[in-house]
């Protein structure tokens, strides 16, 4: 017998911290575009402010004109995660690229693309630093939610 309702599964294995209001977290790497390497050109260095992060991966935004250098499945080269003044070497792969729009009420502020990245290799110290930030953000979010409930009561 089939179930009467289907429920979505939680596919994400770890909590993610949204960083829109946070500062000081960046990904520093060389573009994964293989064509520059084949022609003997050096890869451009890129630094992106993080949109969100978890111990398993992160996301950042790119404008439409940069989409070609972020193909799904490519590995970011010479990749460093910069967290609150600390620099961690990581191996990371692009898992998805999807449209992303920011709105303020009905007004469209910006349209870009979200690049989702999975860590292939990450040092335990880096994982611990990310986990601590995620937990701090989660506690802050819960505290703010409880204060909102108390004000409404």
């Amino acid at each position: 017998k089939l179930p009467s309702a289907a429920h979505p599964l939680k596919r994400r294995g770890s909590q993610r911290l949204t960083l829109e209001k946070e500062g000081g977290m960046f990904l520093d790497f060389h573009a994964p575009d293989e064509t520059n390497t084949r022609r003997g050109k050096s890869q451009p260095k890129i630094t992106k402010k993080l949109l969100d992060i978890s111990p398993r991966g992160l996301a950042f935004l790119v404008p439409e004109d940069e989409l070609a250098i972020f193909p799904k499945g490519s590995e970011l080269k010479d990749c460093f995660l910069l967290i609150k003044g600390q620099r961690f070497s990581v191996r990371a792969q692009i898992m998805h690229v999807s449209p992303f729009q920011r709105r303020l009420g009905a007004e469209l502020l910006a349209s870009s693309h979200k690049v989702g990245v999975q860590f292939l290799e990450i040092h335990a110290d880096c994982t611990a630093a990310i986990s601590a930030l995620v937990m701090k953000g989660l506690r802050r979010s819960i505290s703010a939610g409880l204060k909102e409930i108390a004000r409404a009561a």
Side-chain angles (χ1 to χ4, degrees):
K1 182 178 176 183
L2 293 174
S4 60
H7 301 284
L9 296 173
K10 180 182 174 191
R11 292 176 36 183
R12 185 165 284 138
S14 57
Q15 288 290 331
R16 188 167 289 261
L17 177 64
T18 301
L19 300 169
E20 289 186 59
K21 295 177 184 172
E22 302 278 335
M25 292 189 222
F26 300 89
L27 190 66
D28 192 21
F29 56 95
H30 286 97
D33 183 5
E34 305 287 332
T35 59
N36 287 339
T37 304
R38 281 190 235 128
R39 294 184 187 146
K41 297 179 183 176
S42 63
Q43 301 285 44
K45 183 179 176 184
I46 298 172
T47 300
K48 292 291 182 185
K49 185 176 187 298
L50 301 186
L51 179 66
D52 61 41
I53 190 167
S54 80
R56 296 176 67 180
L58 55 84
F60 56 86
L61 297 177
V62 296
E64 186 81 31
D65 63 342
E66 290 183 13
L67 272 180
I69 61 172
F70 295 103
K72 180 180 175 181
S74 61
E75 188 173 331
L76 301 177
K77 306 295 180 193
D78 303 318
C79 194
F80 292 92
L81 188 55
L82 309 169
I83 303 175
K84 306 286 185 188
Q86 296 181 327
R87 181 178 161 116
F88 299 98
S89 177
V90 297
R91 277 189 57 230
Q93 180 179 20
I94 296 171
M95 299 306 289
H96 69 85
V97 179
S98 56
F100 185 86
Q101 293 183 336
R102 289 183 191 214
R103 293 187 175 276
L104 182 60
E107 182 184 354
L108 180 64
L109 294 178
S111 182
S112 53
H113 286 76
K114 180 178 176 179
V115 177
V117 174
Q118 179 182 21
F119 297 127
L120 301 174
E121 288 180 16
I122 184 168
H123 194 275
D125 289 348
C126 185
T127 302
I130 294 168
S131 294
L133 286 168
V134 170
M135 290 306 297
K136 182 179 177 183
L138 187 59
R139 282 192 298 272
R140 202 172 30 224
S141 177
I142 290 170
S143 177
L146 290 174
K147 287 178 184 174
E148 187 72 27
I149 290 169
R151 275 193 292 257

